Amino acid sequence: EATESMLRAADDFPTFFTPADEFPLIIDCGANIGVSILEWKYRWPTCRIICFEPDPYAFALLQKNVVKNDLPGVQCFCTAISDQSGEGELFGQIGHGADSRGNSLRPEWGDREDSDLSVVRCERLGPYLSEEKVSFLKLDIEGMEEAVLRDIFPLLKNVDSAYIEVHSNAGLLDRNDCGRIEKILTEANFSIETESRFPLHAFPE
């Protein structure tokens, strides 16, 4: 099912984004094993990509996929994107063969049956948005979306398009809420299209 889900993610890839530059910069926060990166490089071979993935096992597969597919212009960092730099605890299924898709810095989201935790490096996104225009920003950071968007709000003017996957439940509503996220994006002059996530692949139940 995990493979089927990832194939579906590529097939349903957002179609609203077409880069305006010959060498567009794409930032992927929550890259997992690199399925989106393969799609971007297929569509736009000259794009540059900076990607972040905190799970060490998923990150190893991400690096392997980049090397095996000979993808130039891709930088990979084993880092969790957060609203503060330093170290943090990553909750979820961590290990060889584990389903890392729901792993999170938020225990309300990542702590589930058979979960573990790992201390990971955390980094703020702001410095990566301040030096040049970002053609496309993907935020799939499992419950940290609102905190990170608030942190980078002054720099959102440097982002042309964004895809943000919001992860929330009853325990997270005070810190990660879709309505507040939409307000942040509207105030940053983004036009918004929303779509509900397919329930079969939602975490946690």
Side-chain angles (χ1 to χ4, degrees):
E1 283 189 11
T3 303
E4 180 184 353
S5 173
M6 290 178 183
L7 288 174
R8 184 181 296 112
D11 291 341
D12 295 343
F13 196 82
T15 57
F16 58 80
F17 167 66
T18 300
D21 303 322
E22 184 180 358
F23 301 97
L25 175 60
I26 297 174
I27 296 181
D28 186 354
C29 304
N32 198 260
I33 66 170
V35 173
S36 292
I37 293 168
L38 292 171
E39 178 72 10
W40 291 324
K41 275 295 184 179
Y42 174 76
R43 294 190 183 199
W44 311 296
T46 59
C47 72
R48 297 166 296 140
I49 303 173
I50 301 173
C51 56
F52 303 92
E53 173 52 50
D55 183 283
Y57 296 92
F59 182 79
L61 290 174
L62 168 64
Q63 286 187 305
K64 185 175 181 179
N65 281 330
V66 170
V67 171
K68 287 282 188 181
N69 288 280
D70 190 23
L71 302 179
V74 178
Q75 294 178 277
C76 303
F77 297 97
C78 191
T79 302
I81 292 299
S82 180
D83 58 344
Q84 55 187 348
S85 298
E87 289 187 339
E89 292 182 333
L90 184 72
F91 297 83
Q93 296 179 11
I94 302 167
H96 289 292
D99 187 348
S100 63
R101 289 174 298 164
N103 294 355
S104 175
L105 295 175
R106 303 287 197 201
E108 298 92 342
W109 187 262
D111 192 7
R112 54 194 192 273
E113 187 177 353
D114 299 326
S115 69
D116 201 347
L117 66 84
S118 177
V119 175
V120 297
R121 177 187 173 200
C122 297
E123 195 170 353
R124 296 172 70 189
L125 186 57
Y128 296 92
L129 305 182
S130 59
E131 295 186 2
E132 61 179 307
K133 198 76 170 176
V134 176
S135 294
F136 188 75
L137 170 65
K138 173 188 156 221
L139 275 186
D140 184 3
I141 49 178
E142 309 294 331
M144 291 296 298
E145 297 84 30
E146 182 177 341
V148 168
L149 285 170
R150 290 190 184 282
D151 187 51
I152 65 173
F153 179 78
L155 296 168
L156 285 174
K157 64 181 182 295
N158 296 335
V159 177
D160 286 339
S161 299
Y163 173 78
I164 298 161
E165 190 165 319
V166 180
H167 305 80
S168 191
N169 57 23
L172 277 177
L173 283 178
D174 62 331
R175 289 186 290 174
N176 205 60
D177 174 71
C178 190
R180 290 195 301 270
I181 287 172
E182 287 187 26
K183 184 177 180 181
I184 292 170
L185 294 171
T186 299
E187 291 177 354
N189 296 317
F190 282 91
S191 299
I192 300 173
E193 294 182 13
T194 60
E195 182 179 343
S196 297
R197 187 173 184 177
F198 189 49
L200 176 61
H201 304 293
F203 292 104
E205 293 182 357

